[in-house]
Amino acid sequence: MGASMSMLKGANVPVPARAVRVELGWRSGAGVPDVDASALLLVSGKVRSDADFVFYNQPAHASGAVRHEGKRTAGDAVTDALRVELDRVEPEVERIVLAGSADGGTFGRVPGLYVRVTDADGGTELARYDSADASVETAFVLGELYRRQGAWKFRAVGQGYDSGLAGLATDFGITVDEPQHAAAPPVPAAPPVTVHPPVRPTTPAPTAPPAGPSQPVRLTKVTLTKEAPTVSLAKQGGTSGAMRVNLNWQMRKQFTGWGAKLGRAVAQHADLDLDLCALYELTDGRKGVVQALGNAFGALHQPPFILLDGDDRTGASSAGENLTINLDHKDKLSRVLVFVTVYEGARSFADLHATVTLQPLHGAPVEFSLDDCTVPSTVCALALISRENGDLVVRREARYLVPARGVSPQRTVDQAYGWGMNWTPGRK
């Protein structure tokens, strides 16, 4: 299909690809709700268990076939994406429903809503459906991938729900722990099935809980702000498993204020390199840093129980930069400060837009955006995770620091938070 062609509702097209990227897109603006992409893996029209629901709180299917990749922003264009490895979908799964839910309003207030399917390897557009008739709906099935005679196809659906993500999910057999809309009574989940364990990815990432009896699915998200900067991980259910800390960023298109002076210099550097790092202090008093510099990538199953997934030099990739913290060993963590440095490509965080998401394996994601940077900062303290009354508490910092002449960004963060370490120059 040509990139400009939009399918009619009910139409279908072949999907000749091993893996696809499913992108929900829309235009942001004043009063426009946020939109979240999700997928449901169906057998005979229902999920087998709650583990067949892939969304922001359960970002990967146990089979490894479907993964929520997260949001990207470019100007007023916003996308939320899923990756589907069609050749890893279990044989009994007949359909993968591709849905969106509106957070804070109806789809009638979401301009330019579309779903687009591209070849994940080559980027070729395979299908596109633009939704033009939304009104009071708060959840939408935009399309579905389905098997037909051994091959995959995509169908444009365009079916809305006024009962939100909870109503849509329960319609397909998900058990949700929130009050239900009267029009969508909960459907009992199908009996649990055995799902083959996932193939270990090259970089650690949280996987969905195995299919079987589980807690009802949580649909809540936690957004930290200046006015409400802290949250208890225990209260969100984030008490065990791997917690992924993700930093995603984009260059700003417009340059304003102080950043305008840097605009041209920043724009010239497509190789902008931000580094996600963490200072840690263990309960036995040991201190250290996890960072790409000096290949101090850490370890997940031994001290410091923090691992840097790698070094993403683009930022525009859907994965961004990731740290993983092993909450199974949370009793050994006294405090962790997650921070980011500009390694190269810019003189400051001005003209960058960044979002931080902490995703516990069990529990609601904690997210926040960085405020506009108004100082010539090359290091930003993102979040402080500290022990309070036996519980780990996440505090939004979003604090831009300006290193003194000759002082490294790492030493600058250390001094601001009283870590007390000795620093030597390093390269990566």
Side-chain angles (χ1 to χ4, degrees), residues 337-361:
L337 180 72
V338 181
F339 66 99
V340 60
T341 66
V342 177
Y343 185 69
E344 61 186 17
R347 287 184 288 168
S348 166
F349 287 104
D351 309 320
L352 296 180
H353 173 74
T355 304
V356 180
T357 306
L358 293 86
Q359 173 69 68
L361 179 56

Side-chain angles (χ1 to χ4, degrees), residues 204-206 233 242-248 276-278 306-310 319-327 336-339 355-361 366 368 382-385 394:
L233 282 180
M243 179 170 72
R244 188 174 182 223
V245 183
N246 171 264
L247 174 73
N248 225 309
L276 192 60
C277 316
I306 303 167
L307 183 70
L308 181 64
D309 287 15
E321 289 245 323
N322 297 289
L323 276 166
T324 306
I325 300 174
N326 189 345
L327 295 180
V336 178
L337 180 72
V338 181
F339 66 99
T355 304
V356 180
T357 306
L358 293 86
Q359 173 69 68
L361 179 56
V366 178
F368 59 89
L382 300 176
L384 182 65
I385 304 167
V394 177

Side-chain angles (χ1 to χ4, degrees), residues 84-313:
V84 183
E85 309 273 349
L86 294 171
D87 57 356
R88 293 177 68 176
V89 178
E90 297 145 307
E92 61 268 30
V93 173
E94 300 150 357
R95 284 198 291 151
I96 301 173
V97 166
L98 307 167
S101 53
D103 186 10
T106 66
F107 274 107
R109 291 165 51 193
V110 179
L113 179 68
Y114 69 87
V115 62
R116 182 169 168 259
V117 180
T118 59
D119 186 328
D121 298 321
T124 307
E125 183 176 287
L126 304 172
R128 180 185 174 108
Y129 169 60
D130 291 85
S131 170
D133 54 359
S135 57
V136 299
E137 299 87 355
T138 47
F140 236 93
V141 174
L142 286 155
E144 62 182 18
L145 294 162
Y146 65 100
R147 295 186 203 260
R148 185 57 45 87
Q149 297 173 337
W152 284 95
K153 303 186 85 171
F154 171 83
R155 178 186 289 118
V157 177
Q159 176 190 351
Y161 291 72
D162 63 2
S163 46
L165 186 59
L168 181 149
T170 53
D171 209 32
F172 290 105
I174 298 290
T175 311
V176 174
D177 73 347
E178 297 181 349
Q180 296 309 312
H181 191 277
V187 180
V193 299
T194 302
V195 175
H196 298 297
V199 177
R200 298 297 297 173
T202 52
T203 56
T207 54
S214 62
Q215 296 296 314
V217 170
R218 282 192 184 90
L219 301 182
T220 50
K221 285 193 288 188
V222 179
T223 302
L224 300 182
T225 62
K226 280 181 183 172
E227 296 71 33
T230 63
V231 65
S232 155
L233 282 180
K235 288 178 183 171
Q236 295 307 319
T239 55
S240 63
M243 179 170 72
R244 188 174 182 223
V245 183
N246 171 264
L247 174 73
N248 225 309
W249 71 89
Q250 296 88 26
M251 300 295 296
R252 292 187 189 279
K253 288 281 195 300
Q254 292 81 29
F255 306 114
T256 57
W258 183 86
K261 298 174 187 174
L262 286 180
R264 286 182 299 280
V266 173
Q268 290 165 3
H269 287 280
D271 61 345
L272 174 73
D273 187 8
L274 300 188
D275 279 354
L276 192 60
C277 316
L279 284 170
Y280 63 84
E281 182 176 357
L282 305 181
T283 49
D284 65 8
R286 281 184 285 176
K287 298 176 184 178
V289 66
V290 173
Q291 60 179 6
L293 273 174
N295 293 320
F297 289 98
L300 207 54
H301 301 290
Q302 61 191 53
F305 310 109
I306 303 167
L307 183 70
L308 181 64
D309 287 15
D311 184 23
D312 175 12
R313 294 201 169 211

